[in-house]
């Protein structure tokens, strides 16, 4: 087994130890020693952007929020489908993750933070959403492992509970789309979305899309004008 090389380390606000490590040409982000994401598996993150931006990509000057920067693959896929006049707000809780994306992780996804359409906010996603009602055409949330908390239960609880869903609903423009990446199915979260007035669709995709990998779930919540 190849040795892991430590590239960077930081501690999040809730005390979670985040490490960026490298194994040959693979980068891995660890949260308290557990793998959170790998540069070798990002197909479902790209699918998240494709599903979320189906309508936004047809609009003039769409405004989209990406919650959770990760390794930049979701952001890259979002930029690839949106028009040149789009604005993409990326909200990341851990400053070091943004710095890693400006450094060693940048080339993996084609340096998406260098795109002039991107605005980076170091903040809790829920706080950003609550301060900007009716602003976004699409919300892409890829925080930890989805509704089931992985590295930060307090932050996830505020983002994915009934109140968090209500905040997301309010932050969207009419006919906007909420897309949530999850490592697993979650019927309770699906029910909360419906209770929160969203029209809900659930997509199951492979971590490497056509090349297999574990199954991941994408929850899609449409803020319908027909309701």
């Amino acid at each position: 087994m190849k040795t892991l090389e430590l590239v960077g380390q930081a501690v999040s606000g809730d005390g979670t130890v985040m490490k960026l490590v490298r194994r040959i040409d693979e980068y891995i982000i660890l949260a308290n020693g557990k793998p959170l994401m790998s540069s070798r598996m990002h197909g479902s993150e790209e699918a998240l952007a494709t599903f979320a931006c189906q309508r936004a990509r047809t609009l003039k000057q769409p405004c989209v929020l990406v919650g959770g920067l990760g390794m930049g693959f979701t952001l890259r896929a979002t930029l690839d489908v949106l028009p040149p006049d789009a604005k993409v707000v990326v909200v990341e809780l851990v400053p070091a993750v943004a710095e890693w994306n400006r450094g060693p992780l940048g080339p993996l996804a084609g340096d998406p933070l260098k795109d002039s359409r991107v605005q980076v906010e170091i903040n809790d996603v829920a706080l950003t959403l609550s301060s900007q009602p009716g602003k976004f055409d699409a919300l892409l949330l890829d925080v930890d492992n989805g509704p089931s908390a992985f590295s930060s239960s307090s932050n996830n609880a505020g983002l994915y509970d009934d109140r968090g869903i209500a905040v997301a609903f309010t932050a969207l423009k009419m006919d906007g789309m909420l897309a949530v990446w999850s490592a697993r199915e979650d019927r309770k979260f699906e029910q909360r979305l419906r209770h929160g007035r969203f029209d809900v669709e659930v997509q199951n995709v492979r971590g490497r899309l056509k090349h297999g990998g574990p199954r991941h779930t994408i929850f899609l919540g449409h803020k319908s004008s027909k309701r």
Side-chain angles (χ1 to χ4, degrees):
M1 190 171 183
K2 301 297 183 179
T3 302
L4 295 177
E5 174 191 353
L6 180 64
V7 179
Q9 180 171 319
V11 179
S12 68
D14 72 331
T16 300
V17 178
M18 309 287 292
K19 292 183 179 181
L20 175 64
V21 299
R22 180 172 57 199
R23 181 168 52 202
I24 309 178
D25 60 346
E26 177 188 16
Y27 285 90
I28 304 167
I29 292 180
L30 305 174
N32 288 335
K34 297 180 180 180
L36 186 60
M37 62 191 73
S38 165
S39 62
R40 289 187 176 176
M41 187 165 58
H42 47 82
S44 58
E45 286 86 349
E46 294 165 0
L48 175 71
T50 301
F51 288 130
C53 296
Q54 285 179 346
R55 177 176 175 273
R57 67 189 300 175
T58 68
L59 302 175
K60 290 184 178 180
Q61 298 181 324
C63 186
V64 173
L65 179 141
V66 175
L69 177 57
M71 294 185 172
F73 294 111
T74 299
L75 175 58
R76 166 48 57 200
T78 301
L79 293 168
D80 287 347
V81 301
L82 290 179
D85 61 355
K87 177 181 179 180
V88 182
V89 179
V90 182
V91 185
E92 172 55 49
L93 185 63
V94 183
V97 173
E99 292 306 311
W100 296 340
N101 275 269
R102 293 187 179 99
L105 296 180
L108 298 179
D111 290 300
L113 292 186
K114 294 182 178 180
D115 194 298
S116 62
R117 293 171 290 175
V118 175
Q119 172 187 324
V120 179
E121 290 189 15
I122 303 301
N123 199 5
D124 185 299
V125 179
L127 293 178
T128 296
L129 292 177
S130 64
S131 67
Q132 303 185 65
K135 179 173 180 177
F136 300 104
D137 295 290
L139 305 175
L140 292 72
L141 302 184
D142 184 5
V143 178
D144 295 338
N145 261 13
S148 299
F150 185 84
S151 68
S152 179
S153 59
S154 60
N155 290 323
N156 266 351
L159 191 59
Y160 298 125
D161 62 11
D162 290 340
R163 183 176 180 180
I165 290 170
V167 168
F169 188 90
T170 302
L172 282 169
K173 297 176 184 178
M174 192 56 67
D175 284 325
M177 181 69 75
L178 168 66
V180 178
W181 186 96
S182 177
R184 60 188 66 85
E185 293 183 352
D186 190 328
R187 294 296 177 86
K188 290 184 178 180
F189 180 67
E190 183 180 343
Q191 291 172 358
R192 286 200 296 274
L193 286 175
R194 297 187 194 280
H195 180 71
R197 297 182 288 164
F198 283 104
D199 292 336
V200 180
E201 181 181 353
V202 179
Q203 297 283 349
N204 292 302
V205 297
R206 291 284 193 175
R208 295 185 178 91
L209 297 184
K210 295 180 180 180
H211 301 289
R215 292 188 182 276
H216 297 149
T217 300
I218 296 173
F219 298 95
L220 300 171
H222 178 217
K223 183 176 178 177
S224 176
S225 57
K226 297 178 181 179
R227 279 185 170 246

